[in-house]
Amino acid sequence: MQPASRQVSVALVALRFGHSRGRLPPLGALSLAGALSERGIAWELIDGERRAGFSATSLDEFVALVERIEADVIGFSAFHDAIPLLVVGLEQLAPKLRNRRIMIGGPAVVGIEQRLLARVPALEAVITGEAETLFPDLVDAVPGALGRPGLAQRGANWPGARALQTARPGVSLPELGSLPEPAWWWCAGKGYCVVPLSMMRGCPFACSFCEVEAHMGRRVRRLDPAQGVRRLERALAHIDGRHAQILDDAFALQRSYCLDFCRELRGQPWRVSFEIFARPGLLDEVTIEALAAAGCCKVYLGLDAGDDELLARVTHRQKVADAVRSVRAISRHIPVEVNMMWGYPFETLEQFARTLELCAELPEQSGGLPVRGRLHLLQPSVGTALFAEHGRAVQLRDEVGPLRQRAGSALLRLIADDPILAAAFYRYATPDYAEKVRRLRVHEAEQQAMVGRAQRHRRSGAIGASSGWRLPRISKE
């Protein structure tokens, strides 16, 4: 149950428009809620995914939502596609928010914090790092909060001052075991069916297209496996389902950690299925078997391209041959989904063709259980090395381009005119883009035809239900 609270009140608003659509609760906002509860600060949480029809262009609905909030402090947890909605909505609401304290955080704000503060006068602070201690300190006006790591804030004379103060690098981050637990009790009765579990922060791989390093650092900090399992058990008590998704990209980085987690989980009197994210070459046979025995039902394998030369340019320690070996080994025990990206600014047509070919051939590498390949059009992210080098040559995504013809809306104008704040609606200018799209559509049509034939054969009993083929497709997210 939620601890007794003081008079100061906070509204936490999670703005996310992903494919899960209400299956997973918003972990970032839940973590902040747990931290506020520990301080005795009253809060409410609003999850945008639970609002039917609410999307990244639902400006009127967003304005109405914020107008109904009565809290003293409003904290927005935003993903990339929510930034234009936030900016334009807060601009429209400025007269009504004059006496409120408004803050924004989440992975989407890395690299755009100064631009947000300059554009939106209602904003007091942008939190670019971990917020479990920083956000409650800001709410409580704790002396010394200004200038802490992961914070961009107006000067001491806010709101009149124009001076912006940013985080100082090099300050150590807290160990995860010392941070408050997410407010799982809030999830009870709300229809969520998957536990979003995070047991580590940081990533050592320094991929040029990813902002995780800037958001959480390169040093990997881990929650003790036993503590992670206890946290999972408490979450399951409030979420309707026996399934978890372990969100950490570096979960499989340390073999002993994976084995300890599996051993701890198997020692419990209750059972749960779960999914993990991994990189090629990190899971050996012993670890794979331990994961399967503990309840792992899917491994999302991140392979950033299907060409070794391209991989060497954007990431570290990845080879296509390693990925193929990993697919074979993992799929003997656990289904695999391999996620690849295309559309790099320096990706040749030949490199794209190799990625497309690998995506089509991956199911044939199955060790027995289903293997699925998925292609994602690379989304620019402002706080990355790739964007710093190639961000001046981005273009509106095909599905967004028609917005230029509908410039009457302030939100659509921002999306069409500002590739920094609206980066989620853009793509990199990649060579031979039209030809790549044409080949991709041909490939998809061929795969759809294969699916139809497989379904007909399966109905007639010619092919067993264990066929490993899955349709690759472009992610729209």
Side-chain angles (χ1 to χ4, degrees):
M1 97 176 358
Q2 184 173 344
S5 303
R6 308 196 295 271
Q7 283 299 103
V8 162
S9 61
V10 176
L12 300 169
V13 183
L15 293 176
R16 55 203 186 116
F17 310 107
H19 68 279
S20 64
R21 216 58 195 168
R23 294 177 64 243
L24 289 82
L27 182 59
L30 281 179
S31 299
L32 292 184
L36 293 171
S37 292
E38 190 173 79
R39 296 281 189 94
I41 300 172
W43 55 270
E44 63 173 319
L45 198 161
I46 301 167
D47 181 7
E49 275 199 355
R50 299 186 68 241
R51 305 175 70 86
F54 191 50
S55 74
T57 57
S58 299
L59 181 59
D60 292 341
E61 291 88 339
F62 173 78
V63 170
L65 181 155
V66 177
E67 284 180 329
R68 289 193 291 270
I69 294 175
E70 298 180 354
D72 307 302
V73 181
I74 306 177
F76 293 98
S77 176
F79 281 78
H80 296 80
D81 55 356
I83 294 298
L85 182 69
L86 260 172
V87 168
V88 176
L90 292 178
E91 286 178 338
Q92 290 191 10
L93 288 161
K96 299 181 180 180
L97 298 176
R98 197 167 288 127
N99 298 318
R100 307 289 189 88
R101 301 178 63 199
I102 311 297
M103 306 177 199
I104 296 178
V109 301
V110 174
I112 64 171
E113 57 271 27
Q114 303 288 353
R115 198 179 186 104
L116 284 171
L117 285 167
R119 171 81 188 242
V120 186
L123 269 182
E124 175 180 342
V126 180
I127 300 174
T128 60
E130 299 176 9
E132 287 99 334
T133 56
L134 183 51
F135 182 67
D137 282 353
L138 289 172
V139 171
D140 269 345
V142 172
L146 184 62
R148 292 255 294 276
L151 172 68
Q153 188 178 30
R154 298 183 190 278
N157 294 323
W158 182 87
R162 286 259 180 204
L164 304 178
Q165 305 194 28
T166 315
R168 294 193 304 268
V171 182
S172 62
L173 295 168
E175 295 304 321
L176 300 192
S178 67
L179 295 176
E181 187 164 335
W184 300 118
W185 64 86
W186 177 86
C187 303
K190 292 184 171 64
Y192 298 112
C193 58
V194 179
V195 175
L197 187 64
S198 178
M199 298 192 297
M200 55 189 64
R201 305 269 176 92
C203 181
F205 298 115
C207 300
S208 64
F209 55 82
C210 179
E211 75 279 353
V212 170
E213 179 186 352
H215 186 50
M216 296 182 177
R218 292 193 68 179
R219 183 173 74 90
V220 178
R221 293 164 292 138
R222 297 176 175 86
L223 194 66
D224 178 78
Q227 192 173 354
V229 170
R230 289 195 298 272
R231 181 170 292 189
L232 174 59
E233 182 178 16
R234 286 189 287 270
L236 289 168
H238 300 285
I239 292 177
D240 300 328
R242 307 297 298 178
H243 187 68
Q245 190 172 82
I246 299 177
L247 305 174
D248 308 304
D249 289 329
F251 176 76
L253 183 63
Q254 189 178 84
R255 180 178 187 267
S256 60
Y257 186 88
C258 278
L259 293 175
D260 288 346
F261 173 80
C262 293
R263 193 177 302 113
E264 191 72 32
L265 191 57
R266 290 191 69 188
Q268 304 304 311
W270 44 271
R271 291 290 174 262
V272 63
S273 61
F274 63 95
E275 306 168 354
I276 70 166
F277 294 82
R279 291 169 66 90
L282 292 182
L283 296 173
D284 63 11
E285 188 72 19
V286 172
T287 308
I288 295 167
E289 291 179 358
L291 285 165
C296 184
C297 61
K298 181 178 283 190
V299 174
Y300 295 95
L301 201 63
L303 178 64
D304 303 321
D307 175 82
D308 283 341
E309 183 180 348
L310 188 55
L311 284 171
R313 190 164 180 177
V314 299
T315 188
H316 298 283
R317 300 194 295 272
Q318 278 200 352
K319 296 284 187 181
V320 172
D322 293 338
V324 172
R325 282 192 292 268
S326 291
V327 166
R328 291 172 182 161
I330 297 169
S331 61
R332 283 197 288 268
H333 305 276
I334 306 169
V336 181
E337 180 174 300
V338 182
N339 291 283
M340 292 179 285
M341 291 185 291
W342 70 281
Y344 292 97
F346 35 72
E347 174 192 66
T348 67
L349 186 60
E350 292 74 21
Q351 289 171 331
F352 169 78
R354 283 191 281 273
T355 298
L356 192 62
E357 182 179 7
L358 178 63
C359 189
E361 292 177 352
L362 277 172
E364 300 173 9
Q365 305 299 328
S366 171
L369 292 175
V371 174
R372 176 186 186 181
R374 290 189 66 188
L375 288 172
H376 304 256
L377 179 59
L378 178 64
Q379 174 185 300
S381 184
V382 177
T384 64
L386 189 64
F387 193 91
E389 185 177 354
H390 298 279
R392 294 183 181 275
V394 294
Q395 300 175 0
L396 279 170
R397 293 173 65 122
D398 291 349
E399 61 269 32
V400 184
L403 294 180
R404 289 191 183 278
Q405 311 303 320
R406 302 166 53 197
S409 159
L411 175 59
L412 299 183
R413 281 200 304 272
L414 174 63
I415 292 173
D417 298 337
D418 194 332
I420 302 296
L421 294 178
F425 298 87
Y426 284 74
R427 62 171 177 84
Y428 285 107
T430 185
D432 298 299
Y433 173 74
E435 176 61 17
K436 290 174 181 176
V437 171
R438 187 194 70 79
R439 293 189 185 190
L440 187 60
R441 298 309 177 200
V442 170
H443 170 79
E444 288 179 333
E446 292 173 348
Q447 301 306 306
Q448 288 282 12
M450 288 177 61
V451 167
R453 288 195 296 271
Q455 289 174 340
R456 289 192 295 273
H457 283 299
R458 189 175 294 117
R459 283 194 295 269
S460 68
I463 297 180
S466 61
S467 174
W469 191 88
R470 291 295 185 274
L471 173 68
R473 61 186 175 87
I474 296 181
S475 171
K476 298 261 178 153
E477 300 166 330

